[in-house]
Amino acid sequence: MRGIHHLAVAVRDLDEAIETYGRLFGAELEHRDTVSEQGVEAAAVLVGSSRIELLAATDEDTPVGRFLARRGPGMHHVAYEVDAEGVDLIDRSPRRGLYGMRVAFLDPGSVDGVLAELVSDGR
């Protein structure tokens, strides 16, 4: 395992969240992109050496859109940069994530009820 890649927070308004994290925590925008395949507009902000990924749904009928409707804004998942084997995945195969990385989500039952994302640069 290489470590935690980012913590992801679901937000209703991405521009407002970027501004809030900048004002409150000195966060600097590292990367912003729309990941159509996942139905999100995402922004990675750096708070010191830590990365927070802010996720806004592009539609209500997406995983993040349903999360927001059910729970409201808040902690969405923890992403680990790993080369993982032998885990129960939600995704049958990796998909494109922010930065063009390959991502796959673990079943929360595998990680004590926490939605965990595995990220890999694909090399």
Side-chain angles (χ1 to χ4, degrees):
M1 175 153 64
R2 296 184 208 145
I4 293 177
H5 186 267
H6 65 267
L7 301 178
V9 178
V11 302
R12 294 203 189 279
D13 183 306
L14 189 58
D15 291 322
E16 183 179 301
I18 293 168
E19 189 278 325
T20 298
Y21 276 71
R23 180 173 40 81
L24 295 178
F25 309 119
E28 296 182 20
L29 181 64
E30 178 186 38
H31 187 77
R32 183 174 180 161
D33 196 6
T34 298
V35 184
S36 302
E37 300 88 2
Q38 294 187 36
V40 296
E41 186 177 3
V45 296
L46 294 175
V47 179
S49 61
S50 299
R51 181 179 292 119
I52 308 293
E53 190 174 278
L54 304 170
L55 304 171
T58 58
D59 189 272
E60 292 178 7
D61 191 26
T62 62
V64 172
R66 291 187 294 275
F67 177 93
L68 287 166
R70 213 173 37 252
R71 299 184 182 180
M75 182 69 189
H76 187 264
H77 67 267
V78 178
Y80 300 90
E81 189 167 6
V82 298
D83 295 319
E85 296 180 25
V87 295
D88 293 326
L89 296 173
I90 292 172
D91 298 305
R92 294 197 183 277
S93 60
R95 51 184 154 155
R96 186 180 80 84
L98 198 58
Y99 311 99
M101 296 184 86
R102 294 173 18 157
V103 304
F105 285 90
L106 292 173
D107 184 293
S110 298
V111 196
D112 298 315
V114 176
L115 182 60
E117 178 184 35
L118 304 179
V119 300
S120 171
D121 61 13
R123 288 184 265 171

